[in-house]
Amino acid sequence: MSFVQRRSAGQEEFHQAVSEVASDVLPWIRNKSEYRDARVLERLTEPDRSLSFRVCWYDDNGELHLNRGYRVQLTNAIGPYKGGLRFHPSVNESVLKFLAFEQTFKNALTGLPLGAAKGGSDFDPKGRSDAEIMRFCQSFMSELYRHIGPDTDIPAGDIGVGAREIGYLYGQYKRIRNECVGVLTGKGLEYGGSALRSEATGYGVVHFTQCLLKQHDLALEGLSVAISGSGNVALHAAEKAIEMGAKVITLSDSGGTIVDRQGLDTEKLAWVTALKTERRGRISEYVDEFDGEYHEGKTPWQVNCDIAMPCATQNEIDNDDARQLIKGGCRVVSEGSNMPTRNDAIHRFIEAGVLFAPAKAANAGGVAMSGLEMSQNAQKRSWSDDELARCLESIMHEIHDRCVEYAPRTENGLINYRYGANIAGFRKVADAMLSFGVC
Ligand code: NDP
């Protein structure tokens, strides 16, 4: 950690992500000189390259704005660089390095040949018109196109980058390169996208949770689920959880949390989806339409629930939230967002016997479906919804089983999924790196 802290000074999110993985990997490699002597873990903390660039664009009033764009290409040891683009004012190199580092182990866990990257910009899309978003995306791609390609680096969406932004980005790439190739995933179905790509991360979190519950002789049906966020991952996790008979009692956005103790049904969820994707409104509007409470400025973690599913952003569950969730009867935490739980809170959950599904395993369904979109683009074919739904479910089962293969049971007889995911993911990437010699 001192090596990382010295070389990446001040990058706190990155230190946090490395420390979480290192706490499991370092003891595991203690007796394995092949990994230790080749300094594999240290090498993974230094990205292959980290690019930053200027992005200039005009707003609707003709005023010029300046943002910074990034692409962190962390490793292509097991396949071309792959990872999303995030447009949010909090984006900086530390955030993208943590996301790319996590992506490394996540992509390895899918079993697909996918390396790891992450990118984005400190651009804030909130309140911007479609024309402004388009001009920003075109300017961003006017530089990014030099660094990506269908066999080199294939970005996708993340916070602030959904179907609309992917369309503008792909349109610009096509215009510059005059090529129709699978250089981005999350594309529209009309121009080479895959069915189920938007749904895959949220659905995958619920599939993984089902596997985890089954492994411990439990079932999802009837359990209450507190979900944070109301974006792509949160809404699809809610949809699948409701379909599986669970009771979804919260959603949130950066303004606050709505609590519906009756549980959301498909009609209420369809209303929220339209609110967020078409009208781009605030979650507080829910209580004007349906019964429920709105807790301004609050996260969902004060609400009693069986399962907590953070699906908004990083560091949304701290030690106090963990204490509160445990007190409120929470038995499972399934991470939909990346690194939503602080390291001390993870320890608290595991010690208290809460089943903890880490993001790198639980939310890997999205990148797995992106891998399948790449395969469809390469074959110039589209697979059916049913075929893809079966693939997603089976990939999530395989990820679960890979974690279990490496996971010890904790003192109370539960599987330590954090450990299993870290070791299984590390081992695959590390073995590939050893094959290439020192580079
Ligand atoms: P979206 O932009 O669709 O939604 C993000 C949601 O989180 C919004 O409801 C947003 O509220 C809320 N949010 C964002 N930042 C904050 C904050 N600082 N505090 C409180 N709420 C916040 O993003 P996604 O659903 O795509 O991504 C959510 C998480 O899932 C991220 O961590 C992402 O990295 C991860 N993920 C996404 C994948 C995907 O396929 N999309 C794949 C794997 C992981 P508001 O609108 O008010 O900002």
Side-chain angles (χ1 to χ4, degrees):
M1 283 314 301
S2 59
F3 171 83
V4 174
Q5 279 156 3
R6 200 174 59 246
R7 292 184 65 82
S8 303
Q11 299 187 344
E12 282 174 25
E13 293 85 357
F14 182 54
H15 300 168
Q16 181 183 338
V18 174
S19 154
E20 192 264 337
V21 170
S23 67
D24 290 329
V25 168
L26 288 179
W28 186 76
I29 59 175
R30 191 162 292 140
N31 304 321
K32 298 179 177 63
S33 57
E34 66 277 28
Y35 301 121
R36 229 186 36 235
D37 296 349
R39 300 185 63 187
V40 173
L41 186 59
E42 289 100 313
R43 281 157 61 189
L44 281 173
T45 64
E46 189 67 41
D48 286 355
R49 65 194 64 78
S50 181
L51 308 156
S52 80
F53 49 93
R54 185 177 60 242
V55 186
C56 292
W57 57 282
Y58 280 109
D59 69 17
D60 290 344
N61 299 321
E63 195 183 324
L64 191 137
H65 293 259
L66 175 63
N67 285 96
R68 187 172 291 167
Y70 301 89
R71 188 71 178 162
V72 175
Q73 296 178 330
L74 199 127
T75 172
N76 62 359
I78 63 170
Y81 302 109
K82 180 90 196 92
L85 297 171
R86 177 177 290 192
F87 292 167
H88 193 272
S90 63
V91 164
N92 56 36
E93 198 186 359
S94 169
V95 167
L96 295 177
K97 276 172 71 178
F98 114 63
L99 287 164
F101 188 75
E102 281 285 290
Q103 195 84 42
T104 305
F105 307 99
K106 178 189 321 204
N107 292 4
L109 281 170
T110 65
L112 300 172
L114 301 170
K118 204 81 190 190
S121 172
D122 56 0
F123 169 69
D124 187 357
K126 237 179 247 152
R128 292 290 171 195
S129 69
D130 282 354
E132 289 173 326
I133 299 282
M134 181 186 75
R135 287 194 290 273
F136 176 81
C137 289
Q138 290 177 342
S139 181
F140 182 85
M141 185 52 88
S142 298
E143 172 60 31
L144 186 71
Y145 87 94
R146 298 170 213 286
H147 310 290
I148 61 175
D151 296 315
T152 310
D153 183 353
I154 308 95
D158 191 78
I159 291 179
V161 179
R164 174 182 59 170
E165 291 74 18
I166 292 288
Y168 294 146
L169 291 163
Y170 186 66
Q172 183 72 352
Y173 181 89
K174 217 157 52 66
R175 186 149 47 144
I176 298 172
R177 299 295 298 251
N178 198 21
E179 280 175 1
C180 295
V181 291
V183 71
L184 290 166
T185 56
K187 298 188 292 299
L189 290 179
E190 308 75 18
Y191 59 90
S194 171
L196 281 190
R197 174 58 190 90
S198 342
E199 293 86 348
T201 307
Y203 283 11
V205 177
V206 177
H207 288 315
F208 190 91
T209 308
Q210 274 188 309
C211 293
L212 164 151
L213 289 167
K214 192 161 171 237
Q215 178 80 24
H216 294 85
D217 300 321
L218 298 164
L220 187 58
E221 209 175 345
L223 298 186
S224 57
V225 187
I227 296 182
S228 66
S230 47
N232 177 283
V233 179
L235 295 177
H236 290 112
E239 183 191 336
K240 187 52 83 182
I242 294 168
E243 188 188 315
M244 296 293 163
K247 191 167 158 188
V248 174
I249 54 173
T250 70
L251 288 173
S252 71
D253 62 19
S254 54
T257 294
I258 59 108
V259 184
D260 184 337
R261 293 182 203 275
Q262 305 301 313
L264 280 89
D265 55 22
T266 47
E267 186 204 329
K268 292 173 178 174
L269 189 64
W271 185 89
V272 179
T273 304
L275 171 79
K276 285 293 177 181
T277 55
E278 289 161 25
R279 305 202 297 282
R280 300 189 188 271
R282 308 306 298 158
I283 199 70
S284 56
E285 294 170 44
Y286 183 91
V287 292
D288 302 330
E289 189 72 18
F290 305 107
D291 286 341
E293 303 147 34
Y294 177 60
H295 300 230
E296 193 173 345
K298 297 271 190 270
T299 58
W301 318 129
Q302 310 303 312
V303 179
N304 292 357
C305 61
D306 297 307
I307 300 178
M309 246 177 226
C311 294
T313 190
Q314 63 268 15
N315 289 331
E316 34 170 334
I317 300 184
D318 64 18
N319 211 352
D320 286 343
D321 297 323
R323 191 180 298 118
Q324 190 62 40
L325 279 165
I326 293 164
K327 204 167 128 207
C330 177
R331 288 181 274 170
V332 177
V333 176
S334 277
E335 296 189 324
S337 43
N338 284 311
M339 202 172 77
T341 316
R342 288 193 181 273
N343 290 348
D344 51 359
I346 298 179
H347 286 293
R348 183 179 283 277
F349 284 134
I350 292 175
E351 267 174 34
V354 173
L355 286 162
F356 178 77
K360 57 176 78 67
N363 77 17
V367 74
M369 191 55 73
S370 277
L372 302 182
E373 183 173 332
M374 288 159 62
S375 303
Q376 293 170 80
N377 291 164
Q379 288 183 337
K380 307 214 180 299
R381 283 191 58 214
S382 294
W383 304 345
S384 72
D385 289 24
D386 284 351
E387 204 172 344
L388 289 162
R390 275 197 304 276
C391 283
L392 175 65
E393 221 176 314
S394 102
I395 289 175
M396 294 316 294
H397 280 249
E398 285 163 20
I399 294 172
H400 174 268
D401 294 350
R402 280 185 195 107
C403 294
V404 172
E405 189 186 336
Y406 285 93
R409 284 192 181 260
T410 57
E411 279 166 19
N412 28 29
L414 309 175
I415 301 282
N416 184 342
Y417 286 91
R418 187 203 68 187
Y419 185 89
N422 281 338
I423 303 302
F426 174 80
R427 185 169 188 173
K428 175 156 182 183
V429 180
D431 286 345
M433 287 169 69
L434 292 182
S435 317
F436 305 138
V438 175
C439 53

